[in-house]
Amino acid sequence: MVSQRGEGETTTTPAEAADKERARAIPEAAVARLAVYLRVLSGMAESGVTAVSSEELSQAAGVNAAKLRKDLSYIGSYGTRGVGYDVEVLVSHIERILGLTRNHSVAVVGIGNLGHALANYGGFPGRGFPVTALFDVDADLVGIPVGGIPVNHIDEITAICLEREVSIGVIATPPPAAQSVCDRLVSAGVQCILNFAPVVLQVPDNVEVRKVDLAVEMQILSFHVARRADEAASVSVGNNGLGVDGMVIRP
Amino acid sequence: MVSQRGEGETTTTPAEAADKERARAIPEAAVARLAVYLRVLSGMAESGVTAVSSEELSQAAGVNAAKLRKDLSYIGSYGTRGVGYDVEVLVSHIERILGLTRNHSVAVVGIGNLGHALANYGGFPGRGFPVTALFDVDADLVGIPVGGIPVNHIDEITAICLEREVSIGVIATPPPAAQSVCDRLVSAGVQCILNFAPVVLQVPDNVEVRKVDLAVEMQILSFHVARRADEAASVSVGNNGLGVDGMVIRP
DNA sequence: TACCGCTTGTGAACGCATGCACAAAGTCGG
DNA sequence: CCGACTTTGTGCATGCGTTCACAAGCGGTA
């Protein structure tokens, strides 16, 4: 593996510099899995487990062992052949790669049912994501503390986000408000947005959006239900097609 | 395109039979996007739009036009060259492919903050997902209606799910309870599960699980924040590396 | 009717991700 | 000290998904 840039690596430790070089090359899919490994590993650490093999860890994380090793190889070689991985070491390296050594302050916009749930989502498991601001349009909510943090009016987004250095904005508003809220967050310098509103947000290139869409998840499941019912139907009814349409098949 | 099975296609309409054949071949990723297209199209239909081109629709859905056309081609050729797509036609075909013509009754387990939010998530946009049962371990909650549906005790899962023909189970419990709840749902014949608990669920092959993991989403965002900060650092500080570690760069 | 311009549908090329299989590298027992 | 055993790290092949580019097809127009 050849490092293509020789600059900017003198005052940081070699390990950190190497991490940063690698971070660029980690596939999107692998990043998501690393987060899962991290959680599993944290659980193991709490249970007093100090070492783990790729086989054990992969099973606990629900993935293929080879894939796990490849994922870990993206962040460096921190295992010991013939033995496995040191849990603590792995945890700290994954945390560093995922940027969890910084503190990412989070703002939640839209304090409805979901917003409440998010605000109370106790410090986000695996810590590092303090919710530091809540916003809503409803003047009646302003000032009321939710999960220990007082709600601010939505017009204060820019000022407060800048002041509290919010790096992640969570949108939990009704769909019609989402784009406007998003625009305000962006103009407040927020570069990462987690969107729960069922809307496709338009953002500048330098802003990262991830969306969690309950309706879409349900519909994907629905698709699989349908596909299964169809398969069951073609198998169980042979060549007459009875019961194929609109009827739930329970074998 | 050659149909490989000649059986079971006589009593359903040709269009439906063709749909079912195709359903097997639709890539997972495309299914997720079809759900998005469906929402956008539904919105257009309500606004009185009757026709749409791949270019317009793709922009509204936030994807590449070519990808959109390919996705639509998986469900058949329902566009008109030189004109575009009929909104109504597209809506009904996507609904059929996604299995939204059946009614999927949903059970939510774990009526905490998130469970409340889900139970109140009014009929799930794009309808077709009636929440018909709520469960919790807490005896104090039993009988209290949430979102119009009374909460049942968790021990009743099997009986009630079978009775109400629940096809999708939503797990919104604390992590330690998730696997046990999952097992109960499975034994009640539920084949599709949407899991909000940060736990890797073990299920038999015939059960489909999708997970929504807030911590993972946040950590993926965190990764991107970190990567960006690093890039900004290497660009802005040249070859001395100052400000690279732990410091947030705001250009 | 014949032509023109527009948009779809798709074959083909590319790139990313997954899984396999094995060499490299370490530990442990004798 | 050596050999056997275990487990990592990774080159390579395979498959899936995305993107490009263009022929095919349709409506409108003269």
Side-chain angles (χ1 to χ4, degrees):
Chain A
M1 190 173 294
V2 180
S3 178
Q4 297 186 331
R5 304 181 316 115
E7 33 150 22
E9 299 178 4
T10 50
T11 55
T12 48
T13 70
E16 280 165 353
D19 279 1
K20 291 176 200 315
E21 280 306 309
R22 288 195 182 94
R24 253 161 272 245
I26 302 180
E28 200 55 33
V31 174
R33 285 190 298 267
L34 283 171
V36 175
Y37 305 154
L38 177 59
R39 188 181 34 246
V40 174
L41 287 165
S42 300
M44 287 177 170
E46 279 177 27
S47 311
V49 178
T50 59
V52 68
S53 73
S54 63
E55 188 60 45
E56 294 171 280
L57 182 53
S58 70
Q59 222 160 353
V63 301
N64 184 303
K67 182 160 24 180
L68 178 131
R69 287 201 299 275
K70 180 142 288 200
D71 288 344
L72 292 182
S73 81
Y74 291 128
I75 67 172
S77 304
Y78 300 114
T80 308
R81 297 176 187 224
V83 179
Y85 301 89
D86 181 288
V87 174
E88 296 286 352
V89 169
L90 222 45
V91 164
S92 78
H93 279 110
I94 296 178
E95 280 181 344
R96 191 158 57 185
I97 287 285
L98 292 182
L100 303 178
T101 49
R102 307 158 197 257
N103 249 25
H104 299 282
S105 102
V106 175
V108 177
V109 187
I111 312 301
N113 280 308
L114 183 57
H116 266 88
L118 294 169
N120 284 308
Y121 195 40
F124 286 93
R127 90 205 158 251
F129 296 100
V131 176
T132 57
L134 305 177
F135 300 98
D136 203 292
V137 264
D138 187 350
D140 292 346
L141 282 173
V142 173
I144 296 173
V146 175
I149 300 142
V151 176
N152 286 104
H153 192 268
I154 209 169
D155 289 339
E156 297 181 276
I157 282 187
T158 309
I160 293 180
C161 284
L162 284 172
E163 176 201 324
R164 303 188 191 167
E165 291 189 336
V166 167
S167 49
I168 298 179
V170 177
I171 299 178
T173 64
Q179 182 64 55
S180 131
V181 164
C182 174
D183 294 343
R184 296 207 214 183
L185 285 170
V186 169
S187 70
V190 174
Q191 292 197 316
C192 290
I193 291 176
L194 185 55
N195 178 30
F196 285 87
V199 173
V200 180
L201 294 177
Q202 310 290 338
V203 294
D205 289 347
N206 65 327
V207 175
E208 187 85 21
V209 175
R210 292 192 64 83
K211 69 169 183 181
V212 175
D213 191 322
L214 302 186
V216 168
E217 296 296 330
M218 298 291 262
Q219 287 170 2
I220 294 171
L221 283 174
S222 168
F223 171 79
H224 290 294
V225 182
R227 197 170 51 76
R228 262 180 213 169
D230 291 345
E231 268 167 19
S234 4
V235 172
S236 68
V237 301
N239 67 355
N240 75 8
L242 266 178
V244 168
D245 182 44
M247 194 176 294
V248 177
I249 306 288
R250 292 202 177 264
Chain B
M1 189 175 293
V2 180
S3 178
Q4 297 185 332
R5 305 182 316 114
E7 31 150 20
E9 299 179 2
T10 49
T11 55
T12 47
T13 71
E16 280 165 352
D19 278 2
K20 292 175 200 314
E21 280 306 309
R22 287 196 182 93
R24 254 161 273 246
I26 302 180
E28 199 57 33
V31 174
R33 287 190 298 267
L34 283 170
V36 175
Y37 306 153
L38 177 59
R39 189 182 33 246
V40 174
L41 286 165
S42 301
M44 286 178 170
E46 278 177 29
S47 310
V49 178
T50 59
V52 68
S53 73
S54 63
E55 189 59 46
E56 295 170 280
L57 183 52
S58 71
Q59 223 160 352
V63 302
N64 185 301
K67 182 159 26 182
L68 178 131
R69 287 201 299 275
K70 178 138 286 199
D71 287 346
L72 292 182
S73 80
Y74 291 128
I75 68 172
S77 305
Y78 301 113
T80 307
R81 297 176 187 224
V83 179
Y85 301 88
D86 181 290
V87 174
E88 296 285 353
V89 169
L90 222 44
V91 165
S92 77
H93 279 110
I94 296 179
E95 280 181 344
R96 192 158 56 185
I97 287 285
L98 293 182
L100 303 178
T101 48
R102 308 159 198 258
N103 248 26
H104 298 283
S105 102
V106 175
V108 177
V109 188
I111 312 301
N113 280 306
L114 183 55
H116 266 88
L118 293 170
N120 285 308
Y121 196 38
F124 286 94
R127 87 204 163 253
F129 296 101
V131 176
T132 57
L134 305 177
F135 300 98
D136 203 293
V137 264
D138 187 349
D140 292 347
L141 282 172
V142 174
I144 296 173
V146 175
I149 300 142
V151 177
N152 286 103
H153 191 268
I154 209 169
D155 288 340
E156 298 181 276
I157 283 187
T158 310
I160 293 179
C161 285
L162 284 172
E163 175 201 324
R164 302 188 192 167
E165 291 190 334
V166 167
S167 51
I168 299 179
V170 178
I171 298 178
T173 65
Q179 182 65 55
S180 131
V181 164
C182 174
D183 294 343
R184 295 206 215 185
L185 284 170
V186 170
S187 70
V190 175
Q191 292 198 315
C192 290
I193 292 176
L194 185 56
N195 178 32
F196 285 87
V199 174
V200 180
L201 294 178
Q202 310 291 337
V203 293
D205 288 348
N206 65 326
V207 175
E208 187 86 21
V209 175
R210 292 193 64 85
K211 68 168 184 181
V212 174
D213 192 323
L214 302 185
V216 168
E217 296 297 329
M218 299 289 265
Q219 287 170 2
I220 295 172
L221 283 173
S222 168
F223 171 78
H224 291 293
V225 182
R227 197 171 50 75
R228 259 175 217 173
D230 291 346
E231 268 167 22
S234 5
V235 172
S236 68
V237 301
N239 68 355
N240 74 8
L242 268 177
V244 168
D245 183 44
M247 194 175 294
V248 178
I249 306 287
R250 292 201 178 264

